Amino acid sequence: MATSQSEKKMKILCLHGFRTSGSFLQKQISKWDPSIFSQFDLDFPDGKYPAGGTSEIEGIFPPPYFEWFQFDNDFTEYTNLEECISYLCEYITTRGPFDGFLGFSQGATLSALLLGYQAQGKVLKEHPPFKLFVSVSGSKFRDPIICDVAYKDTIKVKSVHFIGAKDWLKEPSEDLATAFDSPLIIRHPQGHTVPRLDDAATQQLRAWATEIFSYHSRILNGENHESEKGENKVDDEEEAKPEEVPNKTQVQQDGIGIEVNREVEAVNA
């Protein structure tokens, strides 16, 4: 039986952290309630480049390991970044269209860059505008040339940002959230990890995802939203400030929620 428009799933491109893999990020996300993204197809590609050094998940999760690009200790100079962007734009064009991104650390930082670049007309001009972004321990690039383009204007994408109380990228993650329009912020007590979610955070994230999918389905079904402007105006007023949801559940360090070594991930700041 053919899938109706209202049942058509949205597609999310999921970008892993530094020197890990798509399958590792898939494992990390599996600790979340599966109902949250039941209406979405999640794609977990591997980074363009093999890991150029030791991975902090060796002995915890099997290789191979990958990285998206390389960088200096200050995270102001990058190697193979343009090649990585071209690779992902080609991937998105041939495997998409995609509706949004989910990323951890380097993957979240890269996802936000692509969102900002698309909004400024620098990349993916023929691809439909992205609608959503899930950031876990993401941050901004520090090169002023990149910042002046990617974060020039507020990024009009529905976003949720997971920020850890003990994450060495806590402040950069806070800063990244300010680049987005009315971001949902979910806090957790752990460090640089994909956290387990307590009931409150699970319900909040599920409601956020369901709202996006429901709106997408209405658009696909050709509904005439004459009241859309008025509704959005109310929503905008209600979401004038970032909404923060504390996640009180203690995150277990079980090898999947690994605390990535500063020496390996520090340049993701």
Side-chain angles (χ1 to χ4, degrees):
M1 181 181 296
T3 302
S4 67
Q5 290 279 47
S6 62
E7 295 173 338
K8 185 177 180 181
K9 291 187 174 184
M10 299 179 74
K11 294 184 67 174
I12 301 179
L13 187 61
C14 305
L15 304 185
H16 63 78
F18 185 62
R19 292 181 181 170
T20 63
S21 65
S23 56
F24 181 66
L25 178 59
Q26 188 173 14
K27 186 68 175 179
Q28 290 178 294
I29 297 301
S30 71
K31 70 178 74 172
W32 292 355
D33 190 315
S35 67
I36 294 173
F37 293 120
S38 62
Q39 297 165 317
F40 298 81
D41 281 330
L42 307 183
D43 189 336
F44 295 86
D46 291 322
K48 178 174 172 56
Y49 300 98
T54 302
S55 169
E56 286 298 311
I57 63 172
E58 288 183 12
I60 297 172
F61 193 86
Y65 312 119
F66 303 88
E67 54 199 46
W68 295 104
F69 57 92
Q70 300 81 41
F71 33 73
D72 67 352
N73 288 333
D74 295 324
F75 200 56
T76 56
E77 296 181 6
Y78 319 103
T79 303
N80 293 318
L81 178 59
E82 291 302 320
E83 290 81 357
C84 172
I85 292 172
S86 297
Y87 169 78
L88 281 173
C89 286
E90 177 67 18
Y91 189 96
I92 290 167
T93 300
T94 57
R95 304 290 186 92
F98 287 91
D99 296 288
F101 293 93
L102 180 155
F104 173 68
S105 195
Q106 189 184 51
T109 300
L110 185 57
S111 297
L113 176 67
L114 291 173
L115 290 170
Y117 272 4
Q118 189 198 42
Q120 296 300 327
K122 185 176 174 65
V123 299
L124 297 167
K125 297 178 183 179
E126 303 302 320
H127 187 279
F130 295 107
K131 306 173 183 68
L132 63 99
F133 174 42
V134 179
S135 173
V136 185
S137 297
S139 62
K140 290 181 179 179
F141 281 83
R142 291 182 174 178
D143 183 343
I145 295 176
I146 293 177
C147 293
D148 288 346
V149 178
Y151 321 118
K152 176 182 178 182
D153 299 315
T154 300
I155 301 173
K156 304 291 186 178
V157 171
K158 292 289 186 181
S159 66
V160 57
H161 303 257
F162 288 88
I163 300 176
K166 298 178 182 178
D167 191 351
W168 54 271
L169 279 182
K170 180 177 182 290
E171 291 186 7
S173 294
E174 302 267 14
D175 188 38
L176 178 64
T178 66
F180 289 81
D181 184 34
S182 301
L184 170 62
I185 296 175
I186 299 180
R187 300 184 181 278
H188 62 89
Q190 290 299 296
H192 199 67
T193 183
V194 175
R196 295 185 184 277
L197 305 181
D198 62 14
D199 290 342
T202 296
Q203 292 173 13
Q204 198 75 16
L205 183 58
R206 184 191 296 116
W208 177 86
T210 299
E211 179 184 2
I212 292 173
F213 181 78
S214 297
Y215 178 78
H216 174 72
S217 297
R218 292 198 300 271
I219 296 298
L220 286 181
N221 288 333
E223 293 184 15
N224 185 10
H225 298 282
E226 291 297 332
S227 63
E228 179 181 336
K229 291 184 179 180
E231 292 174 354
N232 285 346
K233 183 177 181 180
V234 173
D235 291 342
D236 289 343
E237 291 173 353
E238 293 176 347
E239 298 179 353
K241 296 181 179 180
E243 183 176 3
E244 298 190 5
V245 182
N247 178 16
K248 298 179 181 178
T249 301
Q250 183 73 14
V251 183
Q252 300 177 4
Q253 293 290 41
D254 57 359
I256 302 306
I258 184 173
E259 181 79 14
V260 181
N261 189 294
R262 235 175 227 269
E263 295 180 358
V264 174
E265 288 273 11
V267 284
N268 277 349

